[in-house]
Amino acid sequence: GEKVINETARYWLKKVDQYTAENRTTTMTEGIVLLGDSMSERFPVWEHFPGAKVANRGIGGDKVGGGKYYGVLDRITTTVAPLKPKKILLMIGVNDLCFVGTKPEELAGQYQGLVQELKRQCPGVEIVLQSVLPARNTFV
């Protein structure tokens, strides 16, 4: 189906292009990939794990994807799989709940599909599921 194009989607497309370009020139494989939304993107990897074999593939505003909103599912092939990760730290879902209004039961099914696709495209990967942070759909 057709994707929603808004400011978040434009930022997402720009970051996917950036990560895809980085993946073409990186020599880092079989490391750890941080995958998720702004909590992943903003995590100061090098401050906490200097010299570690970690690629940050977080994108602020990211969602599970695969539907009318861009998300992780739509970018595994270009931003994650080329790195042949040994481990993926996945934190995704809060934007689906808060900004898209996905019901928790529906999100659980989408999340399960995402994990299956990550395993399919990244054979042998260990996936660490990080909790979706408690949230409400207001900034007050």
Side-chain angles (χ1 to χ4, degrees):
E2 201 168 306
K3 301 283 188 192
V4 171
I5 300 295
N6 54 22
E7 185 179 336
T8 303
R10 283 188 282 278
Y11 179 75
W12 186 93
L13 290 163
K14 181 179 149 203
K15 291 298 289 187
V16 168
D17 285 347
Q18 174 193 330
Y19 291 151
T20 301
E22 285 177 18
N23 287 352
R24 282 192 209 108
T25 59
T26 189
T27 56
M28 193 212 89
T29 58
E30 298 180 5
I32 297 169
V33 171
L34 288 183
L35 184 59
D37 52 36
S38 61
M39 297 303 291
S40 298
E41 181 180 10
R42 294 180 186 155
F43 183 76
V45 175
W46 309 120
E47 182 181 317
H48 294 286
F49 303 101
K53 219 173 164 181
V54 179
N56 189 328
R57 293 296 179 260
I59 299 179
D62 211 356
K63 298 160 192 69
V64 170
K68 58 189 246 190
Y69 294 94
Y70 286 109
V72 174
L73 198 54
D74 303 294
R75 65 186 179 91
I76 298 169
T77 305
T78 56
T79 67
V80 182
L83 297 171
K84 297 176 177 45
K86 179 170 59 176
K87 185 180 287 189
I88 294 173
L89 306 180
L90 178 64
M91 181 184 279
I92 198 71
V94 72
N95 293 313
D96 297 87
L97 294 170
C98 292
F99 298 111
V100 177
T102 305
K103 301 283 180 249
E105 308 77 37
E106 187 183 344
L107 180 62
Q110 293 172 356
Y111 200 95
Q112 189 173 26
L114 171 60
V115 169
Q116 288 171 347
E117 188 60 19
L118 283 166
K119 287 181 176 182
R120 189 183 75 71
Q121 290 196 41
C122 304
V125 72
E126 177 187 347
I127 301 173
V128 177
L129 305 178
Q130 298 177 277
S131 175
V132 173
L133 300 174
R136 55 184 178 198
N137 58 354
T138 177
F139 287 104
V140 179

